[in-house]
Amino acid sequence: MTSASDLAWLIPVLPMLGAALVGLGLISFNRTVNRLRKPVAIFLISCVGAAAVLSYAALIEQLAAPPPTEVLFNWASAGSFNLQMGFRVDALGAVMLALVTTIALLVMVYSDGYMAHDKSYVRFFTYLALFSSSMLGLVISPNLLEIYVFWELVGMCSYLLVGFWYDRDGAANAAQKAFVVNRVGDFGLLLGILGLFWATGSFGFEEIGLRLGEALNNGSVSHPAAVILCLLVFMGPMAKSAQFPLHVWLPDAMEGPTPISALIHAATMVAAGVFLVARLQPIYIQFDEVQAFIAVIGTVTCFLGASIALTQMDLKKGLAYSTVSQLGYMVLAMGCGAPVAGMFHLVTHAFFKAMLFLCSGSVIHAMEEVVGHEPVLAQDMRLMGGLRRFMPVTAITFLIGCVAISGIPPLAGFWSKDEILGQAFNAFPLLWAVGFLTAGMTAFYMFRLYFLTFEGPFRGSDVALQARLLAAAGKGAAEPEGHGEHASQPHESGWQMAAPLAILAVPSVLIGLLGTPWHSRFAGLLDPHEAAEMAEQFSWAGFLPLAGASVAISISGITVAVLAYALHKLDLATAVASRFPSINAFLANKWYLDAINERIFVQGSRKLARQVLEVDAKVVDGVVNLTGLLTLGSGEGLKYFETGRAQFYALIVFGGVIALVVLFSSF
Amino acid sequence: MPLDFAVVQGPLEVLGTDHAWAFPWLSVSILFPIVAALLIPFIPDPGNGKTIRWYALGVALVTFLVTVGAYLNGYDPSVAGLQLIERVEWLPDLGLAWSVGADGLSMPLILLTSFITALAVLAAWPVTFKPRLFFFLILAMDGGQIAVFAVQDMLLFFLAWELELLPVYLLLAIWGAKKRQYAATKFILYTAGGSVFILLAALAMGFFGGGTPNFEFTVLAAKEFPARFQLIAYAGLLIAFGVKLPIVPLHTWLPDAHGEATAPVHMLLAGILLKMGGYALLRFNVQLLPEAHAQFAPLLVVLGVVNIIYAALTSFAQRNLKRKIAYSSISHMGFVLIGIGSFSALGTSGAMLQMVSHGLIGASLFFLVGATYDRTHTLQLDEMGGVGQKMRKMFALWTICSLASLALPGMSGFVSELMVFVGFVNSEAYSLSFRIVMAALAAVGVILTPIYLLSMLREIFFGKENPELASHNELVDAEPREIYVISCLLVPIIGIGLYPRLVTDSYRASIEALVLREDAAMARVLGPAPSGLIRGSQTQPVSWMPSALLQAPSVG
């Protein structure tokens, strides 16, 4: 009997076929296919659904801890080289498969509601299926080469989806920025992969690790060279998982539709970097410098994301920086040599952050009824407030997400984040301190988001404030839109949107219990050896102080948020912001990284390109034209070479050639 | 001669004796379109060119079928040597013979030529100005270009090379845009100037060694040219083919020619003409002058890297759509140069695949440029913007082709660039530092290519609709004919991307034989332990070739 693992290749292929079919239909019979909204949606959802069923079957098989399934074929070959492709299913892959298909499925159901009024509904579903397929392909890739292939494909899907509303300038710029910044990371990844292949003759994860160790021992590859290769490869995850300083694309990518932010830019694609680092652990584990570098980058990112999130007024941007920060935690875990902890946080975060984003989508959807389809208004928390009364399901699930991410037991975030902090405490105490501080900031900004959005009075109908916000965004006065009257108050979203929120709330609350330090089923699945060790070393005396401290700092963060935004006892604007204006400006301007980026890289590359073009046109081509001018001696140059003469000249050249041949043949 | 040459000739004789008379596939595919083109003046046509169009399309399709027939019936991909040989004495005194044949270097390009030409005829549907002459020239070019790839005699090659200039010249000069005279003249001066070197090299090589001059490739390959002779001939040929490929700084004819040509001519220029340069480099410089190649190869790699970066930057700054894409062609041809200079089967195979792949992708992009121009009547990016709202299918096609061009995995460009990279990095012919620097610089192209292609898309299609453009032009979406042309190009692009062996296996044997020849020449020229910054010292052989590599890598 064939096992689910043997059929795993079908998991990415099914959604790919679905997407290809609908895509072809869209190009060939645009009108017809665009009208078949529900059938297309149901078809693509069932493709992803079938993939989900297979994924869960594969996951269940992995519970019995079988050896990894790996199937390879020669994809390209020349000389003695064979570039191979195939698929591989092991515990790590199976967990990701189940995670990706689950969230993709829920997001697709949600999108049916969210995108209901969009004229490109079918195109959106096609892209979603295409993305799911690419992401699933990445997860089951057996080697670095294939990872690179799907790595690029998910990047492309992200480009297409961020730029989905291509008539918006913001979306267009963000899509391009996302792709280019990711390519910067891919530059390193590609060189790193090539280098590792040179050094070890292999693209496989364990094999590279093994052979690199051998090569180091017999001196054929020097230690610094190996470290550089590892760091080059790490550039890929840095870009994809939005690590400092390549995180700049992720907040901008929020221009895409919100379901995309939930699926791609919170739960799955951005986690691909972390996943790759986990896959590469057999290699990285050999180099302390690399591990320390990864840990430091993770910590910096984690702190940076949380600090910027403190001042964001845009609901989605706030969540985006929170994602950056949480990805930093995962990378920190990888750097501490605790891939299981990092992966566990990846899984828990995927659930609660997807839920939070979908909640924000629900809020934006509701706000659009009041303020119109203008992202500057619909996403600004200054116009929200009091939404809990209008949309209770969204508010409650958002609150669950806030508690989960803040690390309050027994919700999911507590177990995974605490695990990472515990590992960091043992490996890099200084980094632990930063991560610990960040946990407090996380709790504060998440509850700030909650209170600003869902509590207090509703401020959405304040026309003067709307005008002020538009002016600040440089958009001018609100254009009268053709939608007629705006509603005076928002409404709860339909079942397609509310149901995924409710479903996601369940794992957000409970999934952490799978990873309790004294009996971690999650670790038992990924690395039974480590799980046993963890359980053995576990002691309440070691666990309670650290966990207690984490909970304490989270609660203090929440308390500040409650005092400031719910009870209004504490005016942070006067207490902090006006007292330290430079810090406030520093945070509000996102550490000035976008400005530096724009000044140096964007303007710099434009200037360089213009100069090269100038040289090309004036110097290189100038020499050519000058030569032409001199040899022809016409005094007018090539540019004025008129009709008849040029053809005449061509005939002479051609005739001359024929004459030469005839001449030679008469020898 | 090195031993491998005997292997190359082995199957040749077998073919010759077993098949006393075989259908002359190659001669037919060369002569049929030319003869059919000569009949165009006698075709009754009401005046709008409708009959001519269908006639030309039919001829181009039959030619394509003949080349496919040649591939299926007379070509065995597992044989390294020459196949489908047809030889008729022409001018025996001169040693000139009608000698055609195909091996792995030429067969894919012959197929590419007839394929792209058929699509170009379909792309030329809107041409109504002097249709007889136009389609006559296109068909004549079809035969001429197949001849360039198929002939096995250097003098004949030179003739075919020159013969193909005339149609291109006229196509540029009569159907081009505003600056067409300038562009056409520049093109012909450049190419004719370069061709002088081919003629000189051909004569020198043919007469070398005394006796009856003979220009047949097999004979030339068997001659042992002295080192200095090889270097001079190599340099001359490099200039000639460097103009065609083109190699920076010999490229300035290309943006002008491409900028002025109409879409179908454009497809032919980018799809096939540039490949003549790469093919000729492999055929003459590498195969006939391997020892000079061993010395020149580092230069090729450096020039390739210069091509990639220089042209990508110029493309980024270009405001004219056609010129932007033209420079992107130059950038992509850089990978061909690196592959040719890589001294590895994988890299050379990648160069070959890059030629095929760029032929397809370049043709599709240039076709789209033409189709867009038909609607917007401008090529200036500043005058476009927001076009995507009315032309959604066009937007989709543009996006797919641009992604193919920036080497997205799953499409052919990615595979060929990857093969060049992996082949070059693992090449034993260069020192580690040279390989690192060159690979890192070439990889900068990985960042630059999306920058110029995506910002191009951004400026044409994204954002708010340009009111000026929308008020003056009717932006109709892509019509079925256009979608069909692009789909025809996308099928092989994606097919190769998914399973590259579809194409690479068809020339694998030839490339491997070629690389063996290169390696043997390299060993003769540089000796067993070369030193220096580029060639690297082999004093610590272990450090350049880790032991793991010496076993064939099995598990990926």
Side-chain angles (χ1 to χ4, degrees), chain A residues 74-75 77 79 84 120 152 156 166-167 173 176 183 197 201 204 207 616 621 624-625 646-647 649, chain B residues 169 182 186 189-190 251-252 310 327 388 392 406 426 446 458 463 498 508 512 553-556:
Chain A
N74 275 349
W75 179 66
S77 48
Q84 295 187 311
S120 301
E152 290 287 303
M156 172 205 73
Y166 51 82
D167 51 336
N173 295 338
Q176 197 181 332
R183 269 290 171 115
F197 183 69
E207 231 177 22
D616 190 64
D621 207 23
V624 173
N625 281 337
Q647 276 155 3
Y649 183 78
Chain B
Y169 171 74
Y182 170 68
K186 199 168 176 182
L189 285 182
Y190 247 114
H251 65 284
T252 57
Y310 180 90
Y327 274 108
R392 308 178 70 183
L406 59 79
N426 287 289
V446 170
R458 159 94 183 80
L498 293 180
R508 185 176 171 176
E512 282 173 7
S554 52
V555 184

Short mmCIF file of all heavy atoms in Angstrom, two decimals, chain A residues 74-75 77 79 84 120 152 156 166-167 173 176 183 197 201 204 207 616 621 624-625 646-647 649, chain B residues 169 182 186 189-190 251-252 310 327 388 392 406 426 446 458 463 498 508 512 553-556:
data_model
loop_
_atom_site.label_atom_id
_atom_site.label_comp_id
_atom_site.label_asym_id
_atom_site.label_seq_id
_atom_site.Cartn_x
_atom_site.Cartn_y
_atom_site.Cartn_z
N ASN A 74 17.03 12.89 -11.72
CA ASN A 74 17.98 13.81 -12.34
C ASN A 74 17.23 14.83 -13.15
O ASN A 74 16.51 14.51 -14.08
CB ASN A 74 18.92 13.03 -13.28
CG ASN A 74 20.06 12.46 -12.51
OD1 ASN A 74 20.26 12.82 -11.35
ND2 ASN A 74 20.80 11.58 -13.13
N TRP A 75 17.44 16.08 -12.79
CA TRP A 75 16.66 17.15 -13.41
C TRP A 75 17.45 17.77 -14.55
O TRP A 75 16.95 18.01 -15.62
CB TRP A 75 16.33 18.16 -12.33
CG TRP A 75 15.57 19.35 -12.75
CD1 TRP A 75 14.29 19.36 -13.21
CD2 TRP A 75 16.00 20.70 -12.74
NE1 TRP A 75 13.91 20.66 -13.48
CE2 TRP A 75 14.94 21.49 -13.19
CE3 TRP A 75 17.19 21.34 -12.37
CZ2 TRP A 75 15.02 22.87 -13.30
CZ3 TRP A 75 17.28 22.71 -12.47
CH2 TRP A 75 16.19 23.46 -12.94
N SER A 77 21.56 17.55 -16.29
CA SER A 77 22.87 16.94 -16.10
C SER A 77 23.75 17.25 -17.30
O SER A 77 23.28 17.44 -18.41
CB SER A 77 22.74 15.43 -15.92
OG SER A 77 21.90 14.91 -16.90
N GLY A 79 28.12 16.40 -18.33
CA GLY A 79 29.38 15.89 -17.81
C GLY A 79 29.11 14.97 -16.64
O GLY A 79 28.21 14.12 -16.69
N GLN A 84 19.73 17.48 -9.05
CA GLN A 84 18.59 16.62 -8.77
C GLN A 84 17.44 17.37 -8.14
O GLN A 84 17.61 18.36 -7.45
CB GLN A 84 19.03 15.49 -7.84
CG GLN A 84 20.04 14.60 -8.53
CD GLN A 84 20.35 13.40 -7.71
OE1 GLN A 84 20.62 13.51 -6.53
NE2 GLN A 84 20.31 12.23 -8.33
N SER A 120 -11.67 41.45 -9.20
CA SER A 120 -10.64 40.47 -9.54
C SER A 120 -10.65 39.27 -8.60
O SER A 120 -9.61 38.69 -8.31
CB SER A 120 -9.26 41.12 -9.52
OG SER A 120 -9.21 42.18 -10.42
N GLU A 152 12.13 31.36 -4.77
CA GLU A 152 11.87 32.40 -5.76
C GLU A 152 10.39 32.44 -6.11
O GLU A 152 9.81 33.51 -6.31
CB GLU A 152 12.66 32.13 -7.03
CG GLU A 152 14.14 32.33 -6.89
CD GLU A 152 14.46 33.80 -6.80
OE1 GLU A 152 14.11 34.54 -7.72
OE2 GLU A 152 15.04 34.20 -5.78
N MET A 156 7.78 35.42 -5.98
CA MET A 156 6.99 35.93 -7.10
C MET A 156 5.51 36.07 -6.70
O MET A 156 4.87 37.07 -7.00
CB MET A 156 7.11 34.98 -8.28
CG MET A 156 6.17 35.34 -9.40
SD MET A 156 5.74 33.96 -10.46
CE MET A 156 4.64 33.01 -9.44
N TYR A 166 -3.27 46.89 -8.45
CA TYR A 166 -2.14 47.54 -9.11
C TYR A 166 -2.42 48.97 -9.52
O TYR A 166 -1.54 49.66 -9.99
CB TYR A 166 -1.65 46.73 -10.31
CG TYR A 166 -2.73 46.32 -11.29
CD1 TYR A 166 -3.16 47.21 -12.26
CD2 TYR A 166 -3.28 45.05 -11.25
CE1 TYR A 166 -4.14 46.85 -13.15
CE2 TYR A 166 -4.27 44.68 -12.14
CZ TYR A 166 -4.70 45.58 -13.09
OH TYR A 166 -5.66 45.22 -13.98
N ASP A 167 -3.67 49.41 -9.34
CA ASP A 167 -3.90 50.81 -9.66
C ASP A 167 -3.50 51.72 -8.50
O ASP A 167 -3.45 52.93 -8.65
CB ASP A 167 -5.37 51.04 -10.03
CG ASP A 167 -6.31 50.47 -8.99
OD1 ASP A 167 -5.88 49.54 -8.27
OD2 ASP A 167 -7.46 50.94 -8.88
N ASN A 173 4.55 50.22 -5.60
CA ASN A 173 5.89 50.42 -5.06
C ASN A 173 6.27 49.31 -4.08
O ASN A 173 7.39 48.81 -4.09
CB ASN A 173 5.99 51.76 -4.36
CG ASN A 173 5.82 52.90 -5.34
OD1 ASN A 173 6.04 52.72 -6.52
ND2 ASN A 173 5.42 54.05 -4.85
N GLN A 176 7.23 46.02 -5.77
CA GLN A 176 8.56 46.05 -6.36
C GLN A 176 9.64 46.00 -5.27
O GLN A 176 10.63 45.28 -5.39
CB GLN A 176 8.69 47.33 -7.17
CG GLN A 176 9.85 47.28 -8.13
CD GLN A 176 9.96 48.58 -8.90
OE1 GLN A 176 8.97 49.27 -9.11
NE2 GLN A 176 11.15 48.91 -9.31
N ARG A 183 15.44 39.80 -3.55
CA ARG A 183 16.50 39.39 -4.47
C ARG A 183 17.88 39.68 -3.89
O ARG A 183 18.84 38.97 -4.17
CB ARG A 183 16.34 40.10 -5.82
CG ARG A 183 15.48 39.29 -6.81
CD ARG A 183 16.22 38.07 -7.27
NE ARG A 183 15.40 37.16 -8.04
CZ ARG A 183 15.60 36.89 -9.33
NH1 ARG A 183 16.58 37.44 -9.99
NH2 ARG A 183 14.84 36.03 -9.95
N PHE A 197 28.12 23.97 -2.65
CA PHE A 197 28.21 22.88 -3.62
C PHE A 197 29.65 22.68 -4.06
O PHE A 197 30.12 21.56 -4.21
CB PHE A 197 27.32 23.18 -4.83
CG PHE A 197 27.29 22.08 -5.84
CD1 PHE A 197 26.68 20.88 -5.55
CD2 PHE A 197 27.89 22.23 -7.08
CE1 PHE A 197 26.66 19.85 -6.46
CE2 PHE A 197 27.88 21.21 -8.01
CZ PHE A 197 27.27 20.01 -7.70
N GLY A 201 30.17 19.31 -2.95
CA GLY A 201 29.66 18.51 -4.07
C GLY A 201 28.25 18.03 -3.84
O GLY A 201 27.82 17.03 -4.43
N GLY A 204 22.29 18.49 -0.71
CA GLY A 204 21.46 17.93 0.36
C GLY A 204 21.88 18.47 1.73
O GLY A 204 23.05 18.75 1.96
N GLU A 207 23.97 15.97 4.01
CA GLU A 207 25.21 15.66 3.31
C GLU A 207 26.18 16.82 3.34
O GLU A 207 27.38 16.64 3.57
CB GLU A 207 24.88 15.29 1.88
CG GLU A 207 25.51 14.00 1.49
CD GLU A 207 25.09 13.63 0.08
OE1 GLU A 207 24.69 14.51 -0.69
OE2 GLU A 207 25.17 12.46 -0.21
N ASP A 616 27.67 55.26 -22.12
CA ASP A 616 27.36 54.42 -23.26
C ASP A 616 27.02 55.26 -24.47
O ASP A 616 27.50 55.03 -25.57
CB ASP A 616 26.19 53.50 -22.90
CG ASP A 616 25.99 52.43 -23.95
OD1 ASP A 616 26.91 51.61 -24.11
OD2 ASP A 616 24.95 52.42 -24.60
N ASP A 621 29.38 54.98 -27.89
CA ASP A 621 28.74 55.20 -29.17
C ASP A 621 29.39 56.38 -29.88
O ASP A 621 29.45 56.43 -31.12
CB ASP A 621 27.24 55.46 -28.96
CG ASP A 621 26.44 55.06 -30.18
OD1 ASP A 621 26.94 54.22 -30.95
OD2 ASP A 621 25.34 55.59 -30.36
N VAL A 624 32.18 55.26 -31.91
CA VAL A 624 31.69 54.58 -33.12
C VAL A 624 31.28 55.60 -34.17
O VAL A 624 31.68 55.52 -35.33
CB VAL A 624 30.48 53.69 -32.76
CG1 VAL A 624 29.87 53.13 -34.02
CG2 VAL A 624 30.92 52.58 -31.84
N ASN A 625 30.49 56.58 -33.75
CA ASN A 625 30.03 57.56 -34.72
C ASN A 625 31.19 58.36 -35.29
O ASN A 625 31.20 58.69 -36.48
CB ASN A 625 29.03 58.51 -34.07
CG ASN A 625 27.66 57.86 -33.97
OD1 ASN A 625 27.36 56.94 -34.72
ND2 ASN A 625 26.85 58.31 -33.04
N ALA A 646 22.78 55.11 -48.50
CA ALA A 646 23.01 54.01 -47.57
C ALA A 646 22.74 52.67 -48.25
O ALA A 646 23.52 51.72 -48.11
CB ALA A 646 22.10 54.16 -46.36
N GLN A 647 21.66 52.63 -49.00
CA GLN A 647 21.36 51.38 -49.68
C GLN A 647 22.42 51.06 -50.72
O GLN A 647 22.84 49.92 -50.88
CB GLN A 647 19.98 51.46 -50.34
CG GLN A 647 18.88 51.12 -49.35
CD GLN A 647 17.56 51.74 -49.72
OE1 GLN A 647 17.44 52.39 -50.75
NE2 GLN A 647 16.59 51.55 -48.87
N TYR A 649 25.46 51.88 -50.51
CA TYR A 649 26.64 51.40 -49.81
C TYR A 649 26.49 49.93 -49.45
O TYR A 649 27.42 49.14 -49.62
CB TYR A 649 26.88 52.22 -48.55
CG TYR A 649 28.12 51.79 -47.83
CD1 TYR A 649 29.36 52.20 -48.31
CD2 TYR A 649 28.08 50.94 -46.74
CE1 TYR A 649 30.52 51.78 -47.70
CE2 TYR A 649 29.22 50.51 -46.13
CZ TYR A 649 30.44 50.94 -46.61
OH TYR A 649 31.58 50.50 -46.00
N TYR B 169 19.19 44.35 -43.31
CA TYR B 169 19.42 45.75 -43.65
C TYR B 169 18.16 46.36 -44.25
O TYR B 169 17.70 47.42 -43.83
CB TYR B 169 20.59 45.88 -44.61
CG TYR B 169 20.72 47.28 -45.15
CD1 TYR B 169 21.23 48.29 -44.34
CD2 TYR B 169 20.28 47.60 -46.41
CE1 TYR B 169 21.32 49.58 -44.79
CE2 TYR B 169 20.35 48.90 -46.88
CZ TYR B 169 20.87 49.88 -46.06
OH TYR B 169 20.94 51.16 -46.52
N TYR B 182 19.80 55.56 -40.18
CA TYR B 182 20.97 55.59 -39.32
C TYR B 182 21.21 54.20 -38.73
O TYR B 182 22.32 53.65 -38.79
CB TYR B 182 20.76 56.62 -38.22
CG TYR B 182 21.79 56.59 -37.13
CD1 TYR B 182 23.11 56.97 -37.39
CD2 TYR B 182 21.46 56.19 -35.84
CE1 TYR B 182 24.05 56.95 -36.38
CE2 TYR B 182 22.39 56.17 -34.84
CZ TYR B 182 23.69 56.55 -35.11
OH TYR B 182 24.62 56.51 -34.12
N LYS B 186 24.31 51.73 -39.59
CA LYS B 186 25.21 51.37 -38.50
C LYS B 186 25.31 49.85 -38.38
O LYS B 186 26.39 49.29 -38.23
CB LYS B 186 24.64 51.95 -37.21
CG LYS B 186 25.63 52.07 -36.08
CD LYS B 186 24.99 52.93 -35.01
CE LYS B 186 25.86 53.03 -33.80
NZ LYS B 186 25.21 53.81 -32.74
N LEU B 189 27.39 48.47 -41.33
CA LEU B 189 28.82 48.80 -41.23
C LEU B 189 29.49 47.95 -40.16
O LEU B 189 30.56 47.38 -40.36
CB LEU B 189 28.98 50.28 -40.89
CG LEU B 189 28.73 51.24 -42.04
CD1 LEU B 189 28.96 52.66 -41.60
CD2 LEU B 189 29.63 50.89 -43.21
N TYR B 190 28.83 47.90 -39.01
CA TYR B 190 29.36 47.12 -37.91
C TYR B 190 29.59 45.67 -38.34
O TYR B 190 30.66 45.10 -38.19
CB TYR B 190 28.35 47.11 -36.76
CG TYR B 190 28.80 47.84 -35.53
CD1 TYR B 190 28.16 48.99 -35.11
CD2 TYR B 190 29.84 47.34 -34.76
CE1 TYR B 190 28.55 49.65 -33.97
CE2 TYR B 190 30.23 48.00 -33.61
CZ TYR B 190 29.58 49.15 -33.22
OH TYR B 190 29.96 49.79 -32.09
N HIS B 251 28.71 46.80 -28.90
CA HIS B 251 27.27 46.54 -28.89
C HIS B 251 26.43 47.67 -29.43
O HIS B 251 25.22 47.52 -29.56
CB HIS B 251 26.83 46.30 -27.46
CG HIS B 251 27.00 47.51 -26.61
ND1 HIS B 251 28.24 47.91 -26.15
CD2 HIS B 251 26.12 48.44 -26.19
CE1 HIS B 251 28.08 49.02 -25.46
NE2 HIS B 251 26.82 49.38 -25.48
N THR B 252 27.03 48.83 -29.74
CA THR B 252 26.15 50.00 -29.89
C THR B 252 25.27 49.95 -31.12
O THR B 252 24.36 50.75 -31.24
CB THR B 252 26.96 51.31 -29.90
OG1 THR B 252 27.90 51.22 -30.95
CG2 THR B 252 27.65 51.54 -28.59
N TYR B 310 27.01 45.94 -16.97
CA TYR B 310 26.97 47.19 -17.74
C TYR B 310 25.61 47.34 -18.43
O TYR B 310 24.96 48.37 -18.33
CB TYR B 310 28.10 47.14 -18.77
CG TYR B 310 28.21 48.35 -19.66
CD1 TYR B 310 29.00 49.43 -19.30
CD2 TYR B 310 27.56 48.39 -20.89
CE1 TYR B 310 29.11 50.52 -20.13
CE2 TYR B 310 27.66 49.47 -21.72
CZ TYR B 310 28.44 50.54 -21.34
OH TYR B 310 28.55 51.62 -22.16
N TYR B 327 18.83 46.38 -24.34
CA TYR B 327 19.97 46.27 -23.42
C TYR B 327 19.84 45.03 -22.54
O TYR B 327 20.84 44.42 -22.17
CB TYR B 327 20.09 47.53 -22.57
CG TYR B 327 20.90 48.62 -23.27
CD1 TYR B 327 20.30 49.75 -23.78
CD2 TYR B 327 22.27 48.48 -23.41
CE1 TYR B 327 21.03 50.72 -24.42
CE2 TYR B 327 23.01 49.46 -24.05
CZ TYR B 327 22.39 50.57 -24.56
OH TYR B 327 23.12 51.52 -25.19
N GLY B 388 -2.44 48.98 -17.31
CA GLY B 388 -2.94 47.67 -16.92
C GLY B 388 -4.44 47.62 -16.70
O GLY B 388 -5.03 46.55 -16.74
N ARG B 392 -5.74 44.13 -19.48
CA ARG B 392 -5.40 43.22 -18.38
C ARG B 392 -4.70 41.96 -18.87
O ARG B 392 -3.79 41.46 -18.23
CB ARG B 392 -6.67 42.89 -17.61
CG ARG B 392 -7.41 44.16 -17.21
CD ARG B 392 -8.67 43.87 -16.50
NE ARG B 392 -8.37 43.33 -15.19
CZ ARG B 392 -9.30 42.92 -14.35
NH1 ARG B 392 -10.56 42.98 -14.70
NH2 ARG B 392 -8.97 42.44 -13.18
N LEU B 406 13.64 37.57 -15.97
CA LEU B 406 14.46 37.76 -14.77
C LEU B 406 14.78 36.43 -14.11
O LEU B 406 15.11 36.36 -12.94
CB LEU B 406 13.84 38.77 -13.80
CG LEU B 406 12.46 38.58 -13.19
CD1 LEU B 406 12.51 37.60 -12.03
CD2 LEU B 406 11.94 39.90 -12.69
N ASN B 426 32.34 25.47 -10.35
CA ASN B 426 33.03 24.20 -10.15
C ASN B 426 34.08 23.92 -11.21
O ASN B 426 34.60 22.81 -11.29
CB ASN B 426 32.02 23.07 -10.10
CG ASN B 426 31.25 23.10 -8.81
OD1 ASN B 426 31.78 22.81 -7.77
ND2 ASN B 426 29.99 23.50 -8.89
N VAL B 446 21.64 39.22 -10.70
CA VAL B 446 20.43 38.65 -10.09
C VAL B 446 19.63 39.75 -9.40
O VAL B 446 18.41 39.71 -9.34
CB VAL B 446 20.83 37.55 -9.09
CG1 VAL B 446 19.65 37.10 -8.27
CG2 VAL B 446 21.45 36.39 -9.82
N ARG B 458 6.21 48.43 -13.63
CA ARG B 458 5.60 49.41 -12.74
C ARG B 458 5.21 50.65 -13.52
O ARG B 458 4.10 51.16 -13.36
CB ARG B 458 6.63 49.76 -11.66
CG ARG B 458 6.45 51.06 -10.93
CD ARG B 458 5.67 50.85 -9.65
NE ARG B 458 5.41 52.10 -8.96
CZ ARG B 458 4.46 52.96 -9.28
NH1 ARG B 458 3.68 52.71 -10.31
NH2 ARG B 458 4.27 54.05 -8.58
N GLY B 463 -0.31 51.67 -11.19
CA GLY B 463 -0.65 53.04 -10.82
C GLY B 463 -1.90 53.55 -11.52
O GLY B 463 -2.62 52.80 -12.18
N LEU B 498 10.71 23.41 -16.45
CA LEU B 498 10.31 22.31 -15.58
C LEU B 498 11.22 21.11 -15.75
O LEU B 498 11.58 20.44 -14.78
CB LEU B 498 8.86 21.90 -15.88
CG LEU B 498 7.80 22.94 -15.53
CD1 LEU B 498 6.42 22.41 -15.86
CD2 LEU B 498 7.87 23.31 -14.06
N ARG B 508 23.79 17.11 -25.50
CA ARG B 508 24.71 16.78 -24.43
C ARG B 508 26.00 16.13 -24.94
O ARG B 508 27.11 16.51 -24.56
CB ARG B 508 24.00 15.84 -23.47
CG ARG B 508 24.81 15.52 -22.27
CD ARG B 508 24.02 14.66 -21.33
NE ARG B 508 24.90 14.20 -20.28
CZ ARG B 508 24.51 13.49 -19.24
NH1 ARG B 508 23.25 13.17 -19.12
NH2 ARG B 508 25.36 13.11 -18.33
N GLU B 512 29.79 17.58 -24.51
CA GLU B 512 30.79 16.87 -23.71
C GLU B 512 32.04 16.60 -24.53
O GLU B 512 33.17 16.73 -24.03
CB GLU B 512 30.18 15.59 -23.13
CG GLU B 512 29.30 15.91 -21.93
CD GLU B 512 28.53 14.72 -21.41
OE1 GLU B 512 28.77 13.60 -21.90
OE2 GLU B 512 27.68 14.92 -20.52
N PRO B 553 28.90 13.39 -7.66
CA PRO B 553 27.86 13.71 -6.69
C PRO B 553 26.58 12.96 -7.05
O PRO B 553 26.10 13.05 -8.16
CB PRO B 553 27.67 15.21 -6.84
CG PRO B 553 28.25 15.55 -8.16
CD PRO B 553 29.28 14.52 -8.47
N SER B 554 26.09 12.22 -6.11
CA SER B 554 24.93 11.41 -6.45
C SER B 554 23.64 11.98 -5.88
O SER B 554 22.74 12.35 -6.61
CB SER B 554 25.14 9.98 -5.96
OG SER B 554 25.49 10.02 -4.60
N VAL B 555 23.62 12.09 -4.58
CA VAL B 555 22.38 12.55 -3.97
C VAL B 555 22.40 14.06 -3.90
O VAL B 555 23.34 14.65 -3.41
CB VAL B 555 22.22 11.96 -2.57
CG1 VAL B 555 20.87 12.38 -2.00
CG2 VAL B 555 22.33 10.46 -2.64
N GLY B 556 21.37 14.68 -4.42
CA GLY B 556 21.37 16.14 -4.53
C GLY B 556 21.18 16.83 -3.21
O GLY B 556 20.75 16.33 -2.24
#
